[in-house]
DNA sequence: CATATAAAATTAAACGTTTATATTTTGAGT
DNA sequence: ACTCAAAATATAAACGTTTAATTTTATATG
């Protein structure tokens, strides 16, 4: 079987030197159009494909985009990481017609993610990094900034220097949800949040408080829960909060998994959605339309932010200023019920 | 800043040649223990890490494992691909302490997946390939076998030559489910399956028919549905089948997503689980415990097959015979209800 | 037309590694 | 102490690419 063609093969074929071939393939202005065409033609005929390890060795370019995913442990976290597939999928789609590939670096904890990032940068194992689960004050972000390494975050932070990010507009979501529930007469509104150290959790809390105080209401901190966004966590919280003297009449869940858990709690406790309380969620899978009953959800198709993530990464590698690579998406509110309930009950 | 250390650095440091250093690092018997230790010591002190592109250029080894994932389109397929994260996660875990990485190659269709596989092999872009969604007669499998390229499949096939695979024991699952339902008095048992061309679908059908005929029942083909395993598909099928003159009293769903759709259909149609019909599912996420109501499920934690996938891949690359790398996992039946219903109704 | 200059091509070296071949060292046997 | 084979190490080339330095070729200028 014929050896895989290299630039040498093309050089021999066209009678040019490998240097010229290389330049031609890289669209260098040093080579004149006529020879360029000749090279491209030959490359096509021979079925030439760039050998990335050659490039990598010479230039340090890896054509890899590292995606750091944090999954705590194999199974306890049944639903966790569900979104990563779609995320990677969207990124892959954005870089489809480039030589870049997404390489997933799976880690078990935040600290591990930092270690992996250090190794990737130190050993130049990727051309760019994408992380999620950003914290308000995220040491990984400052590190990557110091090292001047290209990165995009899925999620915001309060880093002093601007960086490329994509996120859902969490403040906006929460404002919409709270205002809707207030207008339906709810006064005890619980919010089930992700872990407190995540920046988006903080944003949600701020928006929650702001919306309440704008309506002249005060915030009862016992209605705010923080944890890993699993169905189990949602159910736990329902169990707990529904036993309060003045239980919530509405639950805002940070994702559909948690909402499912809350609904599951309803059923166990003999509660009924729309009578005893209501649940609304934010998410990007839109699976809540199949819940029993379906619930009102702030929905943002995950394909949007994820493709943007990929696009931003390419732009960044191409030298674009991070300040131009920041985007907040505003989800649609999909009403799937009146979201009222027997408020006089309490 | 100091350059990243290479074998040259170690050679200089130890006074040896790069050749010896290389051999020492690769545990060649040609180098005597004393010098080997010296090299290892120096490597550690310098913080040396293998530069893969160097190796790759010289030997062709890529240290990449290609995972081919098929996701038809961005959003229509809301829940689809949910399992890939866990799959990749498990594989990553299995290869954690090796230099190997998982690289995801996302494609839109079966045909594309074949194309990508060809490119990977032709251009030696990976050391091994993992695919899922295997068909009974899968051309990708025969191609990889012809090319003598290492691969493991998640899912079986009826390829004549043996190959490495990991799968759930689908025949067993279906047998268990059907027997259980029959024993509860069900006589009209529907089965919602994945697409017909997938080998596991065929296995499930065979087992279904066998279990029925063993009990002296005949199979009504109108109770068998084939399609993409989304909630939407489950709901559609419920809408259709529940209108039959003799509607099913039980639905066996190939995954939890579809089961959720069926339950959602129940709610829309005013049907009740356990009164009008029951649903049971197979899956690896175990999220069905949070359904309302929770349903009986054949559960296999996806971490098991996925870690095995990674392990098999390493073994294969290490030269193990594929015939020793075949494994079927048997899930646990988790009963979450009586799974009886008003059978006299029909 | 000769010459200066710009443009286009070539040469050669380098990136980090492995490995076939060559050379030196070691140590056992006399 | 000397020989000689075996063991250990060294040399050098190669993998495919890019790029600085250099040479050749084409173009413009007076």
């Amino acid at each position: 079987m014929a050896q895989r063609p290299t630039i040498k093969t093309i050089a021999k074929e066209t009678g040019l030197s490998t240097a010229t071939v290389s330049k031609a393939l890289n669209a260098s202005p040093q080579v004149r159009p006529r020879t360029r065409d000749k090279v491209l033609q030959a490359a096509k005929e021979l079925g030439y494909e760039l050998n990335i390890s050659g490039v990598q060795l010479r230039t340090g370019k890896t054509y890899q985009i590292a995606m750091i995913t944090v999954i705590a442990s194999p199974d306890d976290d049944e639903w966790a990481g569900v979104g990563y597939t779609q995320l990677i999928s969207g990124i892959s789609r954005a870089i489809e017609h480039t030589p870049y590939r997404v390489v997933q670096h799976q880690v078990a904890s935040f600290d591990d993610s930092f270690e992996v990032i250090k190794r990737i940068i130190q050993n130049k194992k990727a051309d760019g990094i994408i992380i999620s689960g950003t914290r308000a004050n995220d040491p990984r972000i400052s590190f990557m900034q110091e090292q001047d390494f290209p990165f995009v975050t899925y999620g915001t932070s309060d880093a002093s220097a601007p960086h490329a990010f994509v996120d859902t507009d969490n403040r906006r979501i929460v404002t919409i949800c709270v205002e809707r529930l207030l207008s339906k007469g709810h006064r005890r509104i619980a919010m089930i949040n992700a872990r407190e150290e995540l920046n988006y959790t903080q944003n949600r809390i701020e928006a929650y408080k702001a919306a309440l105080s704008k309506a002249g209401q005060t915030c009862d901190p016992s209605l705010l829960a923080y944890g890993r966004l699993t169905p189990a966590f949602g159910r736990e919280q329902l169990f707990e909060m529904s036993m309060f003297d003045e239980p919530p009449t509405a639950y805002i869940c940070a994702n559909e998994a948690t909402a499912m858990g809350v609904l599951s709690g309803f059923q166990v406790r003999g509660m009924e959605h729309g009578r005893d309380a209501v649940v609304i969620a934010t998410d990007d899978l839109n699976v809540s339309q199949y819940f029993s009953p379906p619930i009102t959800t702030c929905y943002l198709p995950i394909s949007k932010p994820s493709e943007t993530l990929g696009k931003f990464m390419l732009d960044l590698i191409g030298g674009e200023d991070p300040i131009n690579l920041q985007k907040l998406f505003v989800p649609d509110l999909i009403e799937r019920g009146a979201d009222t309930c027997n408020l006089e009950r309490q």
Side-chain angles (χ1 to χ4, degrees), chain A residues 166-334:
Chain A
V166 176
D167 202 2
T168 311
D169 191 338
N170 279 283
R171 290 177 208 266
R172 185 77 171 275
I173 288 174
V174 171
T175 309
I176 292 171
C177 290
V178 172
E179 284 179 352
R180 173 180 170 83
L181 292 169
L182 285 173
S183 79
K184 301 282 184 176
H186 293 275
R187 288 300 173 267
R188 300 279 291 163
I189 302 173
M191 192 160 67
I192 318 281
N193 301 290
R195 295 192 322 282
E196 199 166 6
E197 65 268 28
L198 296 175
N199 195 49
Y200 89 99
T201 297
Q202 314 242 11
N203 292 342
R204 290 173 77 99
I205 300 290
E206 285 161 25
Y208 173 87
K209 288 182 177 166
L212 282 187
S213 82
K214 191 175 155 200
Q217 307 279 323
T218 58
C219 163
D220 176 356
S222 67
L223 296 182
L224 298 175
Y226 306 95
R228 288 215 334 275
L229 295 177
T230 61
F233 176 60
R235 184 151 73 174
E236 260 166 43
Q237 290 307 315
L238 182 278
F239 287 164
E240 213 165 287
M241 292 190 185
S242 63
M243 301 303 279
F244 287 174
D245 289 340
E246 291 186 85
T249 60
Y251 295 82
I252 300 177
C253 295
N255 74 357
E256 290 174 333
T258 318
M260 179 188 271
V262 172
L263 285 176
S264 154
F266 275 31
Q267 129 122 15
V268 173
R269 283 279 189 266
M271 292 168 64
E272 196 177 295
H273 182 92
R275 187 192 67 190
D276 302 305
V278 303
V279 184
I280 71 182
T282 314
D283 217 330
D284 41 24
L285 291 175
N286 205 11
V287 101
S288 52
Q289 61 185 302
Y290 299 103
F291 287 0
S292 306
I295 60 171
T296 296
T297 300
C298 266
Y299 171 58
L300 177 73
I302 194 170
S303 57
K304 284 197 189 169
S306 59
E307 286 185 22
T308 308
L309 230 32
K311 187 187 166 304
F312 279 7
M313 190 79 252
L314 291 181
D315 290 349
L316 205 54
I317 290 173
E320 180 66 84
D321 189 331
I323 205 155
N324 301 321
L325 302 172
Q326 306 187 325
K327 170 106 184 153
L328 284 186
F329 285 93
V330 181
D332 295 323
L333 183 77
I334 305 182

